[in-house]
Amino acid sequence: MNNFAVTVLGTASALPMANKYPSAQVLSVQGRLFLIDCGEATQMQLRKAGVSFLKIEAIFLSHTHGDHVFGIFGLLSTMSMLGRTQALTIYAPSSFAPMLDFIRTYYGEGVNFSIDFVSLEHEGVKVIYDSPYMKVQAFPLQHRVPCYGYLFSQQQPGLNVKKDKIETYHLSISEIAALKRGEDLVRKAGPLVEPCMENEYCPQSGTDEELYLPNEEFTYYPYEPRSYAYCSDTRYFPELASWVKGVNLLYHEATYPEEMAEKAQMRFHATASQAAQCAKEAGAERLMIGHFSSKYPDHQIFLSQAQAVFPHTVLAKELESYEI
């Protein structure tokens, strides 16, 4: 299974709206689920999206402003009531520690699973999660409080051996294992070398004949590793593009349209065109924008301004899934 997709749960910024929800997303990586930010009503959106609370392995919080964390209180409580026993890891700036202490102090009695908190307070880019299938890097954004972005990258998968080659060349188990390790094969005749089955691809016994089988002709990677970057909240700064260079899908906040650029700078937010500029400089494949100001119920203005700079831009929409 090579599913790699993000489902948007909320696209709004600070003020609540009747039909829009604060920041939250679910990333699915080869069947594993990760929650990114947890604004108010996240658990209701998870219900609508059909996401199991108990299958979320980790939560990545960008910062501690309410529209990104107010949903964590109810979510942890519900996980407990559903009987969760699996440990949960939360990655967040160090400023989240007092909030977690509050939850543990006043509501932790019924929590039957451990919550492991990984505190972020570093400069530059740092690997915070590394597994055989995915690596996550965190980097500081420029906001009014400590805030981090995340780059989720699939690891290079192992080699597969082409089935038709296995049949044609009657590959042995040891030969298949060698090919999966990236090795070339050289078949030789003689008592000191494991013999192959007698066929036209096997050197004749008693000769010095060799058959060279190059690895690249016999193997393939099941998929190309892909990446997803989550950058909210932040004002534009040039270094960010270098940290997410070549990303397949970049999510970048676009709180304001271009005519509000001065206000965006003052409030440590970005405009749609600035988000697009970051995607362009990063050489991103696609850009998704969100975290829209409640003053603009019609998001088309954001899309138009972003596409003028970076055409491969889409709007983040509640309960929509985006393949990466």
Side-chain angles (χ1 to χ4, degrees), residues 38-282:
C38 191
E40 189 176 355
T42 290
Q43 61 176 326
M44 300 304 296
Q45 290 294 88
L46 287 170
R47 287 288 197 198
K48 293 176 185 177
V51 176
S52 170
F53 293 16
L54 302 184
K55 291 184 178 180
I56 295 173
E57 294 189 15
I59 298 174
F60 296 84
L61 301 176
S62 60
H63 62 296
T64 55
H65 278 164
D67 55 327
H68 295 258
V69 299
F70 279 166
I72 196 76
F73 301 93
L75 178 63
L76 294 177
S77 176
T78 300
M79 284 180 170
S80 180
M81 287 190 288
L82 290 174
R84 183 185 180 109
T85 57
Q86 178 188 358
L88 177 71
T89 303
I90 299 178
Y91 300 85
S94 57
S95 53
F96 179 69
M99 294 185 180
L100 185 57
D101 289 341
F102 174 84
I103 295 171
R104 284 170 167 159
T105 300
Y106 292 96
Y107 304 103
E109 184 177 348
V111 176
N112 297 317
F113 59 93
S114 63
I115 301 174
D116 302 319
F117 174 47
V118 178
S119 176
L120 307 179
E121 47 186 349
H122 62 271
E123 297 295 327
V125 181
K126 180 181 179 181
V127 176
I128 60 171
Y129 180 100
D130 200 0
S131 76
Y133 63 93
M134 186 180 73
K135 175 176 68 176
V136 183
Q137 295 167 280
F139 42 85
L141 301 174
Q142 292 192 7
H143 197 41
R144 289 177 293 158
V145 298
C147 183
Y148 284 83
Y150 299 100
L151 177 62
F152 302 84
S153 304
Q154 287 181 308
Q155 304 278 30
Q156 179 70 57
L159 287 167
N160 283 353
V161 180
K162 299 175 182 177
K163 289 185 178 179
D164 62 315
K165 298 292 187 182
I166 295 175
E167 297 171 358
T168 302
Y169 285 80
H170 300 284
L171 297 176
S172 67
I173 293 176
S174 62
E175 287 176 323
I176 292 172
L179 287 168
K180 287 185 174 182
R181 291 194 299 268
E183 301 172 13
D184 298 323
L185 297 182
V186 178
R187 282 182 168 179
K188 298 180 180 180
L192 299 179
V193 179
E194 180 181 342
C196 61
M197 294 180 61
E198 290 296 332
N199 59 64
E200 59 181 305
Y201 305 104
C202 182
Q204 295 299 310
S205 179
T207 71
D208 294 330
E209 182 185 358
E210 293 182 347
L211 182 65
Y212 176 66
L213 307 179
N215 186 277
E216 62 268 18
E217 294 184 10
F218 284 73
T219 62
Y220 66 96
Y221 289 109
Y223 58 87
E224 286 295 321
R226 290 163 289 168
S227 55
Y228 175 63
Y230 179 87
C231 302
S232 183
D233 298 12
T234 184
R235 63 181 177 184
Y236 170 82
F237 62 103
E239 293 84 0
L240 179 55
S242 66
W243 294 343
V244 295
K245 202 74 175 177
V247 68
N248 294 101
L249 178 60
L250 168 63
Y251 172 81
H252 194 296
E253 74 123 286
T255 306
Y256 298 106
E258 190 56 31
E259 53 268 29
M260 302 290 288
E262 185 176 339
K263 186 174 184 179
Q265 177 74 7
M266 180 183 65
R267 296 192 173 183
F268 289 83
H269 282 294
T271 66
S273 59
Q274 287 172 339
Q277 184 63 30
C278 180
K280 183 178 179 179
E281 293 171 356

